[in-house]
Every structure is written in structure tokens, then in C-alpha cells.
Amino acid sequence: MTSIGPFPLAVGLIAVGLIVAIVIARRRADAGERRRAVALLLDTLGVGVLGARIGFIVQWWPQYAAEPWSMLRFGDGGYTAWAGLLCAAVFVLWRLRRRPLLQRPVAAALAGGMATWGVLTIMLWLLQGTPMPLPELTLRSLDGRPVALQQYAGRPTVINLWASWCPPCRREMPALLEAQRLRRDIEFVFVNQGEPMADVRGFLDGQPLPADAVLLDNHSDLARAVGSRGLPTTLFFDARGQLVDTHIGELTRASLADRLRRFERQ
């Protein structure tokens, strides 16, 4: 499981950690300082998220420079953790330098929140267990041939679930096609979800999407098999045919490049 409804699990874990931090701060701070303590925690989280985003943009600047508006697509998963933690640490130390009454409560709250987040993250990792293999499904090519997904085992494969009526699917398509052109070592497969062949062909007439990379999933069996609740969904399978990463929502060039780099290290 990678999400709770439309929200990534990572966001849910951060939210739980924040709640724990707020509870600790309210219990540890003096009555007159409780609001300030909670406000500082919220500000620190905001600064950390912003710092993580800016750090990621700097890291992948060429990709963002080619598509400037993609910097505002915060749901692409583009955040650099160490940059966010550094910004948050500097900010909270600066804010606490003249507030001695807040130093211990806020330090305890941050420690409790981070510990909660860490424990939950480890528990989630342990619960996930063995990665999901390529589903044993047979889909159809545009010329009607049956294609078993198991045939892609043996080399890294990126499977994109999309539909022509889905605006984010259409927006991310150029990034995926560019990656397909540049990364010949990775198989890219575009699995259409639930549309008639005529509609898919009509859409492809105006697109540079290779017909042999498109499969039809008329009943959205693949989406159900992997637990996808929205489009687009992009699945990253390693050379052993095991699912090592999932992204629900639109990918930008930068976030796709980052995931492909991490994909290589699996």
C-alpha cells in the first residue's frame, strides 16, 4: 500500500508525527506558551517542507528549467529530505534563541514527533514484506495480440497506467516519452485503462507514443491488481519483476529522473 485514498502514506506518517509533537508541546509548555509552541512546530514543518522542495529543485534544475511550471506541481514527490531537515533545524534554533521557556518543550516535542515518524516508517517497511511481482495478467496490444505482463520480467520495466480523458496523464506523457527515448536499458509500457480501442487509436494519431508500447486493459484489471485508486499511476518493476516503487499522480521530468536514478540502485 502506498497511499490512503489520494494521499501518499508518507504524508500520513508525517501528520501522525506532527500530532504527537503538538500533544507533547502542549503538555510540556507553560500555559502561556502553549500556543507559541504549537505555532512554532507548524512553522518549522512549513519551513522544512519548503526547504526540501527548494533543495530538490536545485538538484534537478535542468529538468525544471525546461518545464518551469512543473516547480509548482508539489504532488510530484520532489523533495530532498536532508535539505528540509537542515532548513527546519536552522529555523527552529534561530526562533528559540530568545525564548528559553520554549526550548525544552519544543525540543521534547520534536524528538517525540521524529521518533514516532521513524518507528512508523520502520513498521511500514516491515509490513510491506516481499515486493509484489509482475501480475499474472494477459492484456491486448493495439493489433489484438495477447501480451502477458510476465514477459517483461528480466529487465527493468516502467508501467504507466493512463487514459486519454485524464489531463494529468496527457501532461506527463512527454516526460515519459523522453525518458523512453533516452533510457534504452529500461522498458516503458503504457497500459490504457478501460477505453475502447477506437478511442485509444484516435488519441494516438496525434501523439508520438509508439503503438508497440501501448497495451489495452479494458476492465482495468491491472489497476485493481496493484491497488491503484487513481490515474495516472506509474509502476517501477526491477529486473526480477518485483515492484520497487509506485507513484500515483502526475510525474514531472525532474521527479521521473529522480525515481529512475533510485531505480538503478535497486
Side-chain angles (χ1 to χ4, degrees):
M1 181 186 295
T2 58
S3 64
I4 303 173
F7 300 103
L9 270 178
V11 175
L13 299 184
I14 292 172
V16 173
L18 176 62
I19 291 170
V20 170
I22 289 174
V23 170
I24 293 173
R26 289 184 62 84
R27 289 185 176 181
R28 292 292 188 92
D30 294 338
E33 297 289 333
R34 287 173 184 167
R35 288 187 179 181
R36 291 189 181 93
V38 172
L40 179 55
L41 289 174
L42 294 174
D43 290 345
T44 300
L45 177 62
V47 169
V49 171
L50 181 60
R53 181 63 175 176
I54 292 173
F56 188 84
I57 290 173
V58 171
Q59 183 181 1
W60 295 101
W61 176 248
Q63 286 80 4
Y64 280 114
E67 194 180 28
W69 282 107
S70 65
M71 296 182 199
L72 302 178
R73 294 175 187 164
F74 300 105
D76 68 352
Y79 299 89
T80 301
W82 67 263
L85 290 172
L86 178 61
C87 290
V90 170
F91 173 78
V92 76
L93 289 173
W94 176 73
R95 287 288 300 273
L96 288 175
R97 73 194 190 285
R98 294 182 180 177
R99 291 193 175 275
L101 293 179
L102 285 180
Q103 290 174 4
R104 288 189 177 182
V106 170
L110 290 173
M114 290 291 292
T116 300
W117 171 82
V119 169
L120 289 176
T121 300
I122 293 172
M123 289 176 61
L124 176 63
W125 180 74
L126 292 174
L127 287 173
Q128 286 178 336
T130 304
M132 176 187 295
L134 273 162
E136 295 184 2
L137 294 175
T138 298
L139 307 179
R140 294 281 175 178
S141 67
L142 286 177
D143 59 9
R145 291 182 298 104
V147 178
L149 290 181
Q150 287 290 326
Q151 77 175 36
Y152 296 107
R155 65 177 303 187
T157 302
V158 176
I159 299 181
N160 180 248
L161 280 60
W162 67 283
S164 64
W165 49 261
C166 164
C169 300
R170 297 197 299 268
R171 285 197 303 266
E172 75 171 5
M173 196 71 73
L176 289 162
L177 292 176
E178 181 180 348
Q180 181 188 44
R181 178 175 57 83
L182 296 174
R183 299 299 306 270
R184 297 298 184 181
D185 57 318
I186 299 176
E187 189 81 35
F188 286 81
V189 185
F190 301 86
V191 181
N192 181 269
Q193 296 296 289
E195 293 188 280
M197 183 181 295
D199 292 352
V200 177
R201 286 188 177 277
F203 173 77
L204 294 178
D205 285 344
Q207 301 293 327
L209 185 59
D212 59 356
V214 178
L215 298 179
L216 302 178
D217 184 6
N218 298 115
H219 302 292
S220 299
D221 293 327
L222 180 54
R224 284 194 293 274
V226 299
S228 171
R229 296 175 177 81
L231 297 177
T233 292
T234 307
L235 312 168
F236 298 80
F237 290 90
D238 63 15
R240 297 169 296 175
Q242 295 181 330
L243 182 65
V244 294
D245 196 5
T246 301
H247 181 81
I248 300 176
E250 181 178 350
L251 283 165
T252 61
R253 282 181 169 85
S255 60
L256 177 58
D258 180 63
R259 287 175 181 273
L260 290 178
R261 187 180 68 174
R262 287 187 278 128
F263 193 30
E264 293 174 346
R265 300 173 180 172
Q266 298 291 334

